[in-house]
Amino acid sequence: VQRKATLSAARKAMKPMAKAMKSGARRVADSGLLAKSIGVVGKNYRGSGIVVVLIGVRKGFTRQIGSVVSDPRKYAHLVEFGTKPHVIKAKKAGGVLKIGQQTVRGEVRHPGTAPQGFMRKAFGSKVRAAERKFAGLLAKAIATEAAKLRAK
């Protein structure tokens, strides 16, 4: 009962934070797939009594765009933290790179990207509210279970 109540309260408390992360991800210029992939996942470790709740990019949200398969799990960290300017080289000497609809020979100097920080911003703005909501939901669950035990 304790683990079930804790997991339920933790998942419900984290939903507003996940919603804020989705909102921030929608501001990023991509297909909207990144925002759709953000969710809350919980796990009960029965042997130890530990309950873990994760918020982030979930698997199963790939999309085929032309010949490229887009998977937010492979680029979410690049959007969050940005990238430094770097050179992208073709795999084979004298080979061809396909970037979007453009085909380029040899190499391309990528200018880098600015960090968006949508996950960190959402966490910072919602962490206290999540803590309060979790404490309230857990207290309510404990009171409900106590009332059930008293009724027996």
Side-chain angles (χ1 to χ4, degrees), residues 47-123:
S48 63
I50 293 173
V51 173
V52 176
V53 175
L54 304 172
I55 304 171
V57 180
R58 297 171 292 166
K59 65 182 178 180
F61 287 86
T62 58
R63 181 181 291 165
Q64 180 105 13
I65 302 170
S67 63
V68 177
V69 176
S70 181
D71 184 349
R73 292 178 303 160
K74 295 186 177 182
Y75 65 82
H77 64 289
L78 301 173
V79 174
E80 177 72 10
F81 299 108
T83 60
K84 293 179 181 177
H86 58 282
V87 175
I88 303 171
K89 295 181 182 180
K91 290 182 181 179
K92 295 177 183 174
V96 177
L97 289 169
K98 184 158 175 122
I99 303 171
Q101 299 300 319
Q102 216 174 29
T103 303
V104 181
R105 287 205 176 277
E107 65 182 39
V108 174
R109 294 187 183 280
H110 190 286
T113 59
Q116 301 299 315
F118 65 96
M119 287 188 164
R120 289 173 290 164
K121 287 175 189 169
F123 179 82

Side-chain angles (χ1 to χ4, degrees), residues 17 20-21 117-130:
M17 191 179 297
M21 285 181 187
F118 65 96
M119 287 188 164
R120 289 173 290 164
K121 287 175 189 169
F123 179 82
S125 69
K126 299 291 182 182
V127 68
R128 297 293 172 245

